């Protein structure tokens, strides 16, 4: 099985793909998936309100927070699989 560093990179890549997919599908699905984006959207609103940032910065923060949130789930799955699958000696 891969090392923890490799698992972390895989986790962030999976989270980024999920986040990018959700952001891309927003308008075409009439915002049906908006509830799945609340962690990132909430962080973007807090940042935007606190410093008066641009909309592009808010979208970037939303994307990053969603990537981390969904990536942590992927990291948990990979960690459990690493424990369940015995290492070859």
């Amino acid at each position: 099985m891969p090392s923890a560093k490799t698992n972390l990179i895989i986790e962030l890549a999976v989270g980024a793909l999920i986040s990018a997919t959700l952001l891309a599908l927003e308008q075409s699905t009439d915002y049906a998936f908006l509830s799945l984006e609340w962690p990132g959207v909430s962080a973007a609103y807090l940042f935007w309100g606190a410093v008066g940032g641009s909309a592009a910065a808010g979208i970037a923060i939303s994307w990053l927070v969603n990537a981390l949130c969904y990536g942590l789930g992927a990291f948990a799955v990979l960690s459990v699989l690493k424990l369940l699958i015995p290492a070859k000696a």
Side-chain angles (χ1 to χ4, degrees):
M1 280 306 267
S3 67
K5 183 178 178 180
T6 305
N7 278 348
L8 183 64
I9 292 170
I10 293 169
E11 163 226 334
L12 291 174
V14 168
L17 286 173
I18 291 171
S19 182
T21 303
L22 288 173
L23 286 172
L25 288 175
E26 271 184 354
Q27 293 178 350
S28 64
T29 60
D30 200 23
Y31 301 96
F33 296 121
L34 189 59
S35 63
L36 296 174
E37 296 179 37
W38 277 121
V41 171
S42 300
Y45 279 133
L46 286 174
F47 173 80
W48 201 5
V51 297
S54 67
I59 291 170
I61 289 172
S62 175
W63 181 76
L64 285 171
V65 171
N66 281 334
L68 288 172
C69 289
Y70 291 116
L72 288 176
F75 185 71
V77 168
L78 289 173
S79 297
V80 168
L81 286 176
K82 188 173 183 177
L83 291 174
L84 293 177
I85 298 173
K88 294 181 182 178

